[in-house]
């Protein structure tokens, strides 16, 4: 299993319960298929560098996890169709000693 991180930008207009539901869905998605969730770092609302879907702010999450490379395609596919997710990127990260 390799170490990955996903930077996810959620819609900042979500209610607290919708945000919690989106966070649960993301964590369930990552842990499905035998992946392990290492950390979810909630950065909060920040100004975007440019507008996305007429939004000038986003709610940022940094999700660190270990997964098989074959699972990344499914995580990528599902994140692209989840409504509260404005943008995301999944990158391979260095192992921390």
């Amino acid at each position: 299993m390799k170490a990955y991180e996903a930077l996810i930008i959620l819609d900042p207009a979500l209610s607290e319960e919708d945000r919690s539901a989106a966070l649960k869905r993301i964590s369930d998605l990552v842990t499905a298929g035998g992946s392990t969730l290492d950390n979810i770092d909630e950065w909060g609302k920040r100004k975007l560098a440019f507008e996305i879907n007429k939004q000038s702010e986003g709610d940022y999450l940094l999700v660190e996890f270990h997964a098989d490379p074959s699972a990344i395609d499914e995580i990528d596919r599902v994140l692209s169709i989840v409504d509260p997710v404005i943008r995301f990127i999944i990158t391979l990260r260095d192992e921390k000693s």
Side-chain angles (χ1 to χ4, degrees):
M1 295 204 339
K2 294 185 177 184
Y4 293 93
E5 65 184 12
L7 183 61
I8 301 170
I9 304 173
L10 297 176
D11 184 352
L14 291 175
S15 68
E16 192 58 40
E17 64 184 39
D18 288 341
R19 185 179 181 283
S20 296
L23 192 59
K24 173 137 177 55
R25 183 168 182 188
I26 291 167
S27 65
D28 289 346
L29 170 66
V30 169
T31 57
S35 302
T36 58
L37 185 63
D38 297 334
N39 186 32
I40 296 180
D41 191 9
E42 299 180 32
W43 292 0
K45 293 182 183 175
R46 294 177 181 229
K47 185 167 174 53
L48 299 173
F50 55 90
E51 284 191 3
I52 302 172
N53 300 334
K54 299 184 181 179
Q55 300 275 349
S56 61
E57 282 190 334
D59 190 1
Y60 283 72
L61 299 171
L62 181 67
V63 181
E64 296 175 343
F65 60 98
H66 281 80
D68 287 324
S70 61
I72 298 302
D73 288 337
E74 179 65 12
I75 294 170
D76 188 85
R77 184 189 70 79
V78 173
L79 282 177
S80 67
I81 59 175
V82 173
D83 284 337
V85 175
I86 297 174
R87 285 282 199 282
F88 69 94
I89 187 168
I90 301 171
T91 58
L92 192 62
R93 65 181 162 98
D94 293 334
E95 285 287 340
K96 295 178 181 173
S97 302

